[in-house]
Amino acid sequence: MNPDPGADIFGQGRQALALAVAAFGGRGIFASARRWQADGTWIGPAEAALAVVDEATLPSGASLPELRDQGANAVLCSLGSPRLGEVAELGMRALLRVPFASGDVAEDRRARLDQLAEMRGRLSARDGIMPVPVGEAQGLETISFFAACRLACPSAHLVVDLEIFGHKLGQLCLSFGADAIMGCIVGKRAPRLGERASSNDLTHDEAALLLRASGFEPCAWLPEGKVRGP
Amino acid sequence: MELGGLANEMRERLHGDRTYWNRNLHINPTNVCVSACKLCSFSRRSAGDPGAFVLGVDEAAGKLAARLAADPRVTEVHIVGGLNDGLPFDYFTSLLAALKAVGPGISIKAFSAVEVFFFHRTYAMSIEEVLRRLRAAGLDSLPGGGAEILSPRVRKAICPNKCGADEWLEVHRIAHRLGMKSNCTMLFGTVESAAERVEHLLRLRDLQAETGGFAAFIPLPFHPENNALGDLPAPTATEILRTAAVARLLLANVPHLKAYWISLGLATAQTALWFGADDFDGTVSEEKIYHQAGARSPEALAPGDIERLIRAAGRVPVERDTFYGMPPLAHPSAGQEAV
């Protein structure tokens, strides 16, 4: 049985948004990110606040301290990852990947959200939760899942990866519990012409606009883990 | 969220969970256009410009034949193009006739009010005569494009050479009087104010109260890529959904509101089905206008994909024809009997 994505989407959204606003005093985060590749290179702006390594693509034997020395400051981890403690000890951000799929069995999804709820006490203020679709990201399914994550974990950062969801659906998630957007966010981007017309890159002003349009006061995550206010 | 809930109530009162879609084909006869609208990423100024094209009548007929061969249940051809003053009027009537010859049962929804008005001016015929001659050649209904914002100030800023707001409405008024249905649109997110958007919707509502000829309203967010307004930010998803919801509430006398997935993107279109929209548009195939403006949606969807996307949004897909009736199982091609 699929979860019913349309079930009281307005009530769910209202509740999730209220929790997100309450948790962070109405501030919304944008985080410029670069991502570590398995070949040892980085993709994304060099000045990015987040330098993210994905636990799932680390070569065997790769050590987080070494990656941190190469600039990494955030680790994309699975729920219940054995590396969570080490990530915290190293002062890196943990971004908890929470998968969801269009064909999810309702009980499985519930169990995943229960597991997420149990993580509440283990997340620091710098950590975040990142819902990630398995396969195609559906509209209503996505916003509904973001809202469910916010209800499960009311006070953690709920981060939208714009590389996955794009600007439109990503921004919509901000009305359904998310409080942070992450992507290639730069001071100046190339014009959207020709081959660049479909680029997901955003300027700081454009990222701030997405947050403002959802009612948040935009703030930026800084590389050293601090937040720059409006 | 409150606005969305209200729009959804009205949507469900009118249509329940039903979400309409159709099997259609888009044909753009030409991208050569004298209008030079700042908002456009599709047009070329003259026939000699790189990328400029005029589709041959046989070529267009061939596209429909190929589409029908792939899916005999296609019910509609949607045709819009540039304002090309290098073409004779016969080109357009021949185009319609050739398409009807290939698919006699196909409904042809063609030529925005802007194009019809351009024909009226270019070929020195009354609007009514243009419509009558097009209809005699095979035209069934008008698409809703070219309305942009029905405000002289906005039109002067973004599309000064197109027909005016009154003229756009007049073309639809005459079409409705002749018994033709049409759609209406609003292109939002350029230089218009909120008040101008509301004024636009109210003008559409007034005409609908007078004629009852609009079948559907289609909100179209501006795409800033590859055009002269590229420094404007694209409307956010929240703004798109808010606009759809306001339109659903204000245009209570227009039966359908379309979430045109090509323009909105699939995910936003799915979500719009809970913010007032009851129609997902069609399979399309080969869309050029929005994709040259940076649309990231696919260029076509298979019927199964559309039904899956609608179901995934918690709605019930209902296949329709142009006029929101049940489509036949298959259309007879020329020289064949209906099965």
Side-chain angles (χ1 to χ4, degrees), chain A residues 4-15 17 102 136-141 143 165-169 171-172 175-176 189 192-201 206 209-210 213-214, chain B residues 1-5 8 221-227 230 233-242 263-268 270-271 274-275 291-296 308-309 311-314:
Chain A
D4 179 358
D8 193 23
I9 189 67
F10 298 106
Q12 210 182 14
R14 265 192 291 268
Q15 204 181 343
L17 179 61
S102 187
E136 185 183 14
Q138 306 267 349
L140 213 72
E141 188 102 36
I143 57 177
F165 295 105
H167 303 164
K168 288 210 157 48
L169 182 54
Q171 190 253 342
L172 210 48
S175 297
F176 287 82
R189 63 163 173 78
R192 293 211 172 92
L193 296 170
E195 289 178 355
R196 305 276 312 161
S198 297
S199 160
N200 266 331
D201 296 4
E206 288 167 337
L209 177 70
L210 292 187
S214 300
Chain B
M1 216 75 83
E2 280 69 18
L3 193 59
N8 190 51
F222 169 63
H223 282 246
E225 294 84 2
N226 283 333
N227 61 49
T236 63
T238 309
E239 192 176 358
I240 292 169
L241 296 180
R242 190 184 298 132
S263 170
L264 271 56
L266 293 175
T268 309
Q270 276 184 309
T271 311
W274 289 83
F275 286 77
H291 284 88
Q292 291 187 10
R296 296 161 202 205
R308 180 177 55 77
L309 288 162
R311 283 203 186 91

Side-chain angles (χ1 to χ4, degrees), chain B residues 147-158:
Chain B
E148 323 310 7
I149 294 287
L150 296 171
S151 139
R153 184 193 75 83
V154 176
R155 296 183 89 76
K156 190 175 174 188
I158 65 173

Side-chain angles (χ1 to χ4, degrees), chain B residues 142-282:
Chain B
L142 297 187
E148 323 310 7
I149 294 287
L150 296 171
S151 139
R153 184 193 75 83
V154 176
R155 296 183 89 76
K156 190 175 174 188
I158 65 173
C159 54
N161 304 317
K162 264 185 186 168
C163 70
D166 292 343
E167 295 156 343
W168 189 95
L169 289 164
E170 183 63 9
V171 170
H172 284 271
R173 180 179 286 110
I174 294 170
H176 297 170
R177 182 157 46 78
L178 294 175
M180 298 170 79
K181 288 285 183 187
S182 68
N183 289 336
C184 50
T185 60
M186 176 171 76
L187 180 103
F188 61 96
T190 60
V191 300
E192 81 282 359
S193 65
E196 284 164 330
R197 286 187 201 178
V198 171
E199 176 66 20
H200 175 102
L201 295 173
L202 293 176
R203 294 197 75 180
L204 295 177
R205 187 170 75 172
D206 288 348
L207 181 58
Q208 179 72 344
E210 182 186 325
T211 67
F214 288 131
F217 171 75
I218 309 154
L220 299 172
F222 169 63
H223 282 246
E225 294 84 2
N226 283 333
N227 61 49
L229 299 176
D231 52 342
L232 292 175
T236 63
T238 309
E239 192 176 358
I240 292 169
L241 296 180
R242 190 184 298 132
T243 305
V246 169
R248 178 63 289 169
L249 293 167
L250 272 182
L251 297 177
N253 57 358
V254 177
H256 300 281
L257 194 144
K258 200 180 276 192
Y260 182 42
W261 59 266
I262 288 274
S263 170
L264 271 56
L266 293 175
T268 309
Q270 276 184 309
T271 311
L273 299 180
W274 289 83
F275 286 77
D278 63 282
D279 187 323
F280 206 68
D281 199 65

